Amino acid sequence: MVTRADIGVIGGSGFYSLLDDAEEIELATPYGPPSDVVTVGRIGSRSVAFIPRHGRDHRFPPHRIPYRANLWALRSLGVRQVLAPSAVGSLRAEYGPGAIVIPDQLVDRTSGRAQTYYDIDGAVHVSFADPYCPTGRSTAVATARAGGWETVDGGTLVVIEGPRFSTRAESQWFAGNGWSIVGMTGFPEALLARELALCYTSVSLVTDHDAGVEAGQGVTHDEVLEFFAQNVTRMRTLVSEAVQSLPEDRTCPCGSALDGIKLPFELP
Ligand SMILES: [Zn+2]
C-alpha cells in the first residue's frame, strides 16, 4: 500500500473539504469494511486519513458503527494519532451549547458492542486507567482556546448505548456522580484505539443540555443535528489546526500500551 497517513480523524460529515489532494481508499479489514471509504489527504504538512463515523449518508446508528474496522483501517494506513470530534450533551448547567470539552475520563454504559480485538487465542489486558492521550488532550485544549471556544479541560464522558437519549433520572444520576458530558460513540472507540497502541483524543462539542439538567422536554435529534450543522465550519477549523499542532514524534505513553504483552496476531 502506497498511500499513508500519520493522523486519523473520525468525525461527522463535512470534513472532506479539509483535505488537499484527497484520495479515496476502499479498505477491507478482518472486521469487515470501515464505515465508509477512507479519505486520505494533507492538512498543511501533515498527512491525514478521515473516516465519517456514521458513514457519509449517516447509515450507521451509534450502536451499529463498525468501530473495530474503523480503527484497524486507520492503523493499517500508518495512523498513530487519532482525533475524534463528536456531539455530546452537557450534564452541567455551567456549560451548554457551543462549549468544547476535552474529557480526561470515560464511563462505559454501552452494552453488547464488540469492544475488543482480543477475543480469541488468549486474553490481552491493556491499561485503560487514563483512556485519552495526554499530548492530544493538551494540544486540543490549547487549539480550542486559541480559537476562542469556551473550552473545558477535563471531565468525564459517559457513553450510553442509545440510540435513545437518557431519561431524566439517568441524566440526574450521571450528573450526581460528577460526570460532565454524555454521548453514544466514545466507547468502544477509545478502547480500540488503546488496544492498537494509538493516541486517541475526544474533541466533544456540546450541542445541548441533557434531560436532567433542564426542566424542558429534553433534547431532540433535530436540535442536535441543527446545532452541529451550524458549528461544522468552526469544528473543521479546530480539528484542522489541532492536526497541525500534534507532534511529529510521540513521547506520550500510548505507543507503549502493548509493550510486554504477547499478542495473538500481528498488528497492521
Ligand atoms: Zn498519545
Side-chain angles (χ1 to χ4, degrees):
M1 187 178 296
V2 182
T3 303
R4 306 286 288 174
D6 57 9
I7 296 170
V9 175
I10 306 173
S13 51
F15 278 87
Y16 313 100
S17 57
L18 270 182
L19 301 171
D20 296 325
D21 303 324
E23 180 186 347
E24 294 188 346
I25 302 178
E26 256 178 73
L27 282 171
T29 82
Y31 308 94
S35 295
D36 214 316
V37 292
V38 184
T39 312
V40 178
R42 303 196 74 81
I43 299 176
S45 64
R46 311 306 293 274
S47 57
V48 179
F50 173 77
I51 295 180
R53 185 182 284 116
H54 297 276
R56 291 187 180 198
D57 51 2
H58 218 93
R59 67 186 174 280
F60 294 112
H63 60 294
R64 306 286 298 180
I65 290 167
Y67 294 101
R68 291 194 295 186
N70 288 349
L71 275 300
W72 191 273
L74 289 177
R75 185 168 165 118
S76 69
L77 287 166
V79 165
R80 293 298 179 268
Q81 301 179 80
V82 176
L83 293 176
S86 72
V88 296
S90 172
L91 295 164
R92 304 283 185 93
E94 64 265 31
Y95 43 83
I100 291 285
V101 182
I102 312 297
D104 61 356
Q105 278 299 322
L106 179 156
V107 170
D108 169 27
R109 294 279 304 157
T110 68
S111 57
R113 300 184 183 187
Q115 57 167 276
T116 182
Y117 292 106
Y118 306 114
D119 53 2
I120 46 162
D121 297 333
V124 170
H125 303 287
V126 297
S127 169
F128 200 49
D130 295 298
Y132 300 108
C133 173
T135 306
R137 287 196 61 258
S138 59
T139 301
V141 168
T143 307
R145 286 197 174 136
W149 293 86
E150 180 194 354
T151 309
V152 182
D153 180 1
T156 298
L157 165 65
V158 190
V159 185
I160 61 173
E161 176 64 12
R164 67 169 179 87
F165 292 111
S166 308
T167 67
R168 220 175 286 282
E170 288 166 339
S171 182
Q172 286 163 353
W173 176 53
F174 298 157
N177 284 327
W179 304 336
S180 313
I181 47 177
V182 57
M184 296 179 191
T185 60
F187 190 90
E189 210 170 77
L191 173 60
L192 294 166
R194 177 61 52 83
E195 285 196 342
L196 297 179
L198 304 176
C199 297
Y200 180 92
T201 305
S202 165
V203 181
S204 294
L205 170 66
V206 174
T207 56
D208 53 85
H209 277 113
D210 207 47
V213 182
E214 305 188 306
Q217 287 304 302
V219 60
T220 70
H221 185 59
D222 282 350
E223 285 165 0
V224 171
L225 288 184
E226 188 187 327
F227 188 84
F228 207 75
Q230 286 165 1
N231 282 273
V232 76
T233 306
R234 281 187 82 202
M235 275 297 275
R236 271 207 304 257
T237 304
L238 169 56
V239 170
S240 166
E241 289 173 354
V243 159
Q244 295 174 83
S245 302
L246 287 171
E248 302 261 355
D249 296 310
R250 298 196 287 171
T251 54
C252 54
C254 314
S256 311
L258 302 169
D259 286 5
I261 298 177
K262 188 176 174 301
L263 300 181
F265 45 78
E266 228 173 278
L267 299 186

